[in-house]
């Protein structure tokens, strides 16, 4: 989102300095080496980032470069509580407007976003002309009002898409023609939503415009006891994120819901563990059973951790297993069976000492075998488990 917005500012004749977490060049803009240097000469600072923690970190890094009288316009989706925290962190002589947007990458490039702006009247007046470069500006209230409005809107729009995805999966499972169902729904008040998602339903998800993982994040920020439907949609999206769809367009939820309903099996790849090579998933869930693939001591770059050290490799493997189990609400107490492969059975005692730190209760069923080698040289151990997912409290 930030890149097309920066290009619009350049095209509108503004002097633009950019900083991006991953270095990029935008014609007509100056690329700064750090946040502090990016804001050093700025009268207006715009942030467009992924989540509250990132916004706080980047603005903290930028703070030494902010001049008295500078106005910060925070355009990410971070919620009103994070906006209030930013206000407390920023110097008192620096203004703050929260102005998240409705729309995705294409509207950002076309200048047709809807900007939901909250702030003091004098601050809103200072930045309105710049915000109009991005699209229609709606001033919705005082500080934090823009952030709150964005979450309220997304709490309606995103669950509506998830509900439609579940409805189509139900129709398919019961023999209803999904194309005909879309035609019928197109003549109802849901018509505009149906037409927006129809290409994804018929042809698969398009190039990412609004990432599924960001949609899950937005609903998590909007969490409220009265929003039971939004909470269910959030959980459905988090399942899709665990299945490796976080970077896909939100409409990927249609295929994910349908697959899960047809097969009864969900493939899981939690973001808390290193990515697979694409030939397997870290886990698969069917009903209340969780099958976790063999975990080994490889880091994010595919390098062996603790080469020649059974204790270190065992610790690393157990930590990976703990993360996969936790992703589905399990602990080691929920494990029903452990299968361990060792390249040297004489090291089983070292492995056993580590394993005992994690399996502290009554031990599960277990199989341990010696193998001549594992799939990457230097690996000494691989462990897979089966777990029973506990019932919700």
């Amino acid at each position: 989102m930030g890149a097309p917005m920066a290009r619009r500012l350049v095209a509108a004749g503004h002097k633009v300095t950019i900083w991006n977490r991953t270095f990029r060049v935008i014609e007509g803009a100056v690329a700064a080496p750090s946040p502090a240097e990016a804001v050093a000469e700025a009268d207006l600072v715009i942030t467009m980032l992924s989540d509250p923690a990132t916004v706080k970190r980047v603005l903290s890094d930028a703070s030494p470069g902010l001049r008295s009288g500078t106005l910060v316009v925070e355009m990410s989706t971070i919620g009103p509580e994070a906006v209030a925290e930013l206000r407390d962190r920023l110097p008192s002589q620096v203004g703050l407007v929260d102005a998240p947007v409705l729309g995705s990458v294409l509207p950002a490039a076309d200048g047709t976003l809807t900007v939901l702006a909250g702030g003091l009247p004098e601050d809103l007046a200072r930045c309105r002309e710049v915000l109009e470069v991005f699209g229609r500006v709606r001033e919705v209230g005082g500080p934090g009002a823009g952030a709150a409005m964005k979450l309220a809107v997304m709490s309606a729009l995103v669950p509506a898409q998830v509900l439609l995805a579940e409805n189509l999966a139900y129709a398919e499972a019961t023999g209803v023609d999904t194309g005909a169902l879309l035609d019928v729904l197109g003549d109802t008040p849901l018509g505009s939503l149906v037409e927006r998602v129809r290409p994804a339903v018929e042809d698969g998800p398009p190039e990412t415009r609004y990432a599924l993982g960001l949609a899950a994040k937005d609903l998590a920020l909007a969490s409220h006891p009265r929003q039971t439907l939004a909470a269910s949609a959030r959980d459905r999206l988090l399942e899709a994120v665990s299945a490796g769809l976080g970077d896909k367009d939100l409409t990927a939820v249609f295929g994910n819901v349908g697959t899960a309903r047809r097969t009864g099996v969900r493939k899981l790849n939690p973001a808390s563990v290193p990515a697979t090579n694409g030939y397997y998933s870290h886990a698969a869930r069917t009903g209340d059973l969780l099958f976790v693939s063999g975990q080994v001591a490889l880091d994010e770059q595919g390098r062996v951790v603790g080469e020649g050290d059974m204790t270190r490799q065992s610790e690393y493997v157990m930590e990976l297993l703990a993360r996969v189990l936790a992703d589905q609400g399990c602990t080691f107490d929920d494990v029903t069976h452990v299968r361990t492969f060792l390249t040297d059975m004489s090291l089983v005692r070292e492995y056993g000492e580590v394993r005992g730190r994690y399996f502290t209760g009554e031990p599960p069923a277990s199989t341990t075998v010696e193998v001549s080698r594992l799939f990457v040289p230097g690996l000494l151990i691989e462990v897979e488990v089966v777990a029973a997912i506990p019932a919700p409290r």
Side-chain angles (χ1 to χ4, degrees), residues 104-273:
S104 54
V105 176
L106 290 178
D110 296 340
T112 56
L113 295 169
T114 297
V115 181
L116 306 173
L120 299 175
E122 59 270 27
D123 290 335
L124 292 171
R126 285 181 60 190
C127 64
R128 186 176 183 98
E129 181 181 349
V130 171
L131 295 182
E132 287 176 343
V133 171
F134 306 131
R136 181 187 181 191
V137 179
R138 299 190 67 137
E139 296 182 7
V140 295
M149 180 66 77
K150 174 64 182 290
L151 294 186
V153 171
M154 301 317 290
S155 293
L157 291 181
V158 175
Q161 290 200 41
V162 176
L163 177 62
L164 185 55
E166 293 187 342
N167 182 255
L168 288 171
Y170 163 78
E172 184 177 19
T174 55
V176 174
D177 183 280
T178 55
L181 175 60
L182 289 173
D183 291 339
V184 172
L185 289 174
D187 292 330
T188 73
L190 290 174
S192 60
L193 176 60
V194 168
E195 293 313 308
R196 184 162 62 182
V197 303
R198 186 191 291 270
V201 174
E202 295 176 347
D203 304 322
E207 181 180 352
T208 300
R209 296 169 296 182
Y210 177 33
L212 189 150
L214 291 180
K217 179 266 299 182
D218 290 351
L219 291 188
L221 288 174
S223 179
H224 188 278
R226 293 186 178 181
Q227 289 185 309
T228 55
L229 181 59
S232 296
R234 175 203 63 209
D235 292 344
R236 173 68 78 181
L237 293 180
L238 288 174
E239 291 176 0
V241 170
S242 294
L245 299 177
D247 293 332
K248 301 295 184 182
D249 189 77
L250 172 58
T251 51
V253 71
F254 286 88
N256 178 255
V257 171
T259 299
R261 188 176 290 274
R262 284 195 303 271
T263 67
V265 176
R266 296 208 314 272
K267 312 299 172 55
L268 306 170
N269 289 288
S272 58
V273 294

Side-chain angles (χ1 to χ4, degrees), residues 39-69:
V39 306
E41 299 181 5
D43 297 316
L44 186 70
V45 173
I46 294 174
T47 51
M48 175 58 84
L49 295 158
S50 59
D51 55 74
T54 303
V55 172
K56 294 171 190 176
R57 184 170 63 251
V58 170
L59 279 178
S60 177
D61 292 342
S63 188
L66 292 171
R67 301 183 301 173
S68 178

Side-chain angles (χ1 to χ4, degrees), residues 313-343:
Q313 290 198 21
S314 298
E315 291 170 341
Y316 192 86
V317 165
M318 288 296 158
E319 181 57 32
L320 293 181
L321 289 170
R323 295 177 188 176
V324 178
L325 290 168
D327 181 73
Q328 295 298 304
C330 297
T331 70
F332 284 98
D333 289 339
D334 301 305
V335 172
T336 62
H337 186 262
V338 184
R339 182 175 286 107
T340 304
F341 304 91
L342 303 175
T343 60

